[in-house]
Amino acid sequence: MKGTATISLTSALHFADNEGEHPAEDRLWKLRPVLESWNRRIDPPSSRTRNVTVDESLWAFKGRHHALQYNPSKRARRGLKVYKLCSSDGPEAGYTAAFKIYMGQDRGVFPSSMKAVTDLLEKADLFDKGTSYTPTTGTTSPTLFHYLQARKTSAVGTVRLNRRGMPSDLQASRGQIDFRSSKTGMICLQWVDKRPVTMLSTAHTSKVVTLPPQPPRVERSKPEVVAAYNNGMKGVDLSDQLAQSYPTTRKTVKWYKKIFFYLLDMTTTNALAIHRALGGKLTQFEFRKELVRGLLQQGGPRGSFRRNPPQARH
């Protein structure tokens, strides 16, 4: 009975009038009212947040859509590409301030990944404010970092060696580093731990730092730029981890319904981040229970909802 009720509710889930007029170039028109409502109500990171991350991920989807992407390096492998801008540190860590769903229409002077990053930073009003930005490998490039430098935004991230503008003579050995620097102060560094790691940064040098010992209490050291990148990625990793702990996604072949469920998870994660930023101490499970209880009370007078209908006990 429970499964039948869920299917009935999902089949009636619509967000736009199919018979109305819609712009031909808007490939997200079936979900446009929800997206506009989300953008109106979302707040940019507070002035206390100086570190943000843009993550390129796939929202798993097995139905049909012209913008579907396949990436074997991602956990989902097949789905819709999404760029998320999240706070990286402080009590707001994991808060998503802006996002963009890739629809394959970002053709222009800059690559689509670079345009996605600049659009999100512009939407969150983070340019020219000394913000520190941590991108993922798929969005990092010398071209992007030079542009961010001009907009007073520092950046650090992993990068592929085949990117345009990258030096071709980096040859680091195990446990050692090799680096090059540009006239603008951007550094390109390669460090070999278990495998080669290549980094770009506009805010660091080739300095090596010692990390706090961990079991078995062996002292470890690594380039400062690598340590900064790992710290910067904590925010988006936290956001994904919280959303995957209690997912609301349901099986459906309708792309707009699938995206809606992902947005619902992202909104709940944002609410939890705000709760913690305001000093709240609830766990995610307790917070979700309180959130559901509050939503139920909005639908009727207090006490009008019961967990189970009264029934005879045997």
Side-chain angles (χ1 to χ4, degrees):
M1 185 67 181
K2 181 179 179 181
T4 304
T6 302
I7 293 174
S8 299
L9 289 172
T10 305
S11 63
L13 194 61
H14 296 278
F15 311 101
D17 184 5
N18 291 339
E19 298 180 358
E21 296 183 359
H22 309 284
E25 68 278 4
D26 187 5
R27 297 180 178 178
L28 291 170
W29 65 267
K30 281 182 173 290
L31 201 63
R32 185 56 59 189
V34 176
L35 297 175
E36 291 179 350
S37 176
W38 199 94
N39 287 324
R40 284 197 305 268
R41 287 166 172 77
I42 201 68
D43 292 323
S46 69
S47 57
R48 297 172 298 176
T49 301
R50 290 298 180 185
N51 299 309
V52 296
T53 305
V54 172
D55 180 42
E56 175 189 316
S57 59
L58 283 181
W59 283 351
F61 179 59
K62 296 183 178 179
R64 294 183 178 181
H65 196 274
H66 60 271
L68 280 180
Q69 302 284 318
Y70 176 76
N71 190 337
S73 64
K74 297 293 185 180
R75 182 178 180 181
R77 294 195 177 184
R78 185 172 182 270
L80 297 168
K81 184 190 294 187
V82 180
Y83 298 93
K84 293 197 315 179
L85 187 149
C86 300
S87 299
S88 298
D89 56 4
E92 298 177 8
Y95 180 86
T96 301
F99 74 97
K100 183 176 183 179
I101 304 172
Y102 178 70
M103 287 285 108
Q105 296 172 304
D106 294 338
R107 295 181 177 87
V109 178
F110 298 122
S112 59
S113 59
M114 178 175 173
K115 187 176 186 305
V117 169
T118 55
D119 286 350
L120 292 179
L121 290 171
E122 192 76 54
K123 182 184 294 185
D125 192 24
L126 294 175
F127 277 133
D128 305 312
K129 294 183 178 180
T131 304
S132 178
Y133 159 64
T134 306
T136 53
T137 306
T139 60
T140 306
S141 69
T143 304
L144 171 62
F145 277 35
H146 281 306
Y147 177 81
L148 295 177
Q149 272 188 312
R151 298 297 303 270
K152 299 180 181 179
T153 303
S154 61
V156 54
T158 55
V159 63
R160 298 188 181 102
L161 281 171
N162 60 357
R163 288 285 191 180
R164 180 179 297 179
M166 289 290 294
S168 58
D169 57 346
L170 288 174
Q171 293 182 347
S173 56
R174 184 173 178 82
Q176 302 297 320
I177 61 174
D178 189 14
F179 67 94
R180 305 288 183 272
S181 57
S182 68
K183 295 179 180 179
T184 61
M186 181 172 65
I187 185 174
C188 179
L189 179 146
Q190 187 177 81
W191 175 62
V192 181
D193 185 16
K194 295 181 179 179
R195 57 185 179 84
V197 178
T198 308
M199 309 288 300
L200 280 182
S201 176
T202 60
H204 301 88
T205 65
S206 58
K207 177 183 177 182
V208 176
V209 296
T210 301
L211 303 178
Q214 293 182 353
R217 298 189 178 277
V218 177
E219 189 176 85
R220 301 172 302 134
S221 61
K222 63 177 58 176
E224 182 184 28
V225 62
V226 176
Y229 172 77
N230 292 337
N231 288 330
M233 289 300 295
K234 289 180 180 179
V236 71
D237 290 341
L238 176 62
S239 175
D240 293 340
Q241 179 185 4
L242 292 174
Q244 292 171 7
S245 298
Y246 301 96
T248 60
T249 52
R250 298 291 182 268
K251 291 184 178 180
T252 176
V253 296
K254 302 295 185 181
W255 63 267
Y256 56 91
K257 295 181 182 180
K258 197 72 171 183
I259 292 178
F260 171 76
F261 290 127
Y262 282 114
L263 290 177
L264 189 60
D265 286 337
M266 191 163 63
T267 304
T268 305
T269 302
N270 273 6
L272 177 61
I274 294 174
H275 166 75
R276 292 176 174 175
L278 295 175
K281 302 296 183 181
L282 294 178
T283 65
Q284 183 180 190
F285 181 67
E286 293 170 341
F287 177 80
R288 284 176 177 267
K289 287 198 301 182
E290 290 298 321
L291 179 62
V292 171
R293 187 175 293 112
L295 292 174
L296 288 175
Q297 294 300 335
Q298 289 185 4
R302 182 178 295 275
S304 62
F305 295 95
R306 295 185 178 181
R307 184 182 300 274
N308 295 309
Q311 55 185 358
R313 294 187 177 184
H314 300 283

